[in-house]
Amino acid sequence: MTHVVTENCINCKHTDCVEVCPVDCFHAGPNFLVIDPDECIDCTLCVEECPVGAIFPELDVPAGQEVFLSINAELAREWPVLTSKIPSMEDADKWDGVPDKLPLLKR
């Protein structure tokens, strides 16, 4: 099983989760993070570290967020690995909890 970054990460991109990942499975894009499903070891450490509650086990992804399973897998192949914490996006607090952010995802 793997973990999945979902919609609430878009335009927030907190990287607290990256620091605790023992296998460097996070990849960073312009305004979103993804987890490489082939690298994730299901340790669950990232879930508690995400300040916006955007990371879920693949079997517990909220209804309507299932598309993020394929988005994580696809973009993990394209985006670079992120191994250390970086500053979150400037207006991250403003975007936390905003619904329907998928159209804002920058690939």
Side-chain angles (χ1 to χ4, degrees), residues 5-7 25-28 34 36 38 41 52 56-57 63-64 67-68 71 82 86 89 91-94 103:
V5 181
T6 59
E7 183 174 54
C25 68
F26 283 90
H27 294 249
V34 296
D36 183 337
D38 295 328
I41 61 171
V52 296
F56 296 89
V67 68
F68 285 94
I71 289 172
L82 185 63
I86 60 173
M89 298 190 72
D91 293 334
D93 291 339
K94 176 181 112 175

Side-chain angles (χ1 to χ4, degrees), residues 1-15:
M1 181 167 32
T2 186
H3 281 73
V4 180
V5 181
T6 59
E7 183 174 54
N8 206 38
C9 182
I10 297 172
N11 283 347
C12 290
K13 195 176 159 184
H14 294 284
T15 56

Side-chain angles (χ1 to χ4, degrees), residues 6-71:
T6 59
E7 183 174 54
N8 206 38
C9 182
I10 297 172
N11 283 347
C12 290
K13 195 176 159 184
H14 294 284
T15 56
D16 306 66
C17 52
V18 172
E19 281 194 320
V20 298
C21 181
V23 295
D24 299 332
C25 68
F26 283 90
H27 294 249
N31 68 338
F32 188 59
L33 299 174
V34 296
I35 293 174
D36 183 337
D38 295 328
E39 295 295 323
C40 180
I41 61 171
D42 193 31
C43 70
T44 73
L45 295 172
C46 59
V47 176
E48 292 300 317
E49 291 300 317
C50 180
V52 296
I55 302 173
F56 296 89
E58 67 180 324
L59 299 177
D60 294 332
V61 170
Q65 302 274 315
E66 297 88 354
V67 68
F68 285 94
L69 288 160
S70 61
I71 289 172

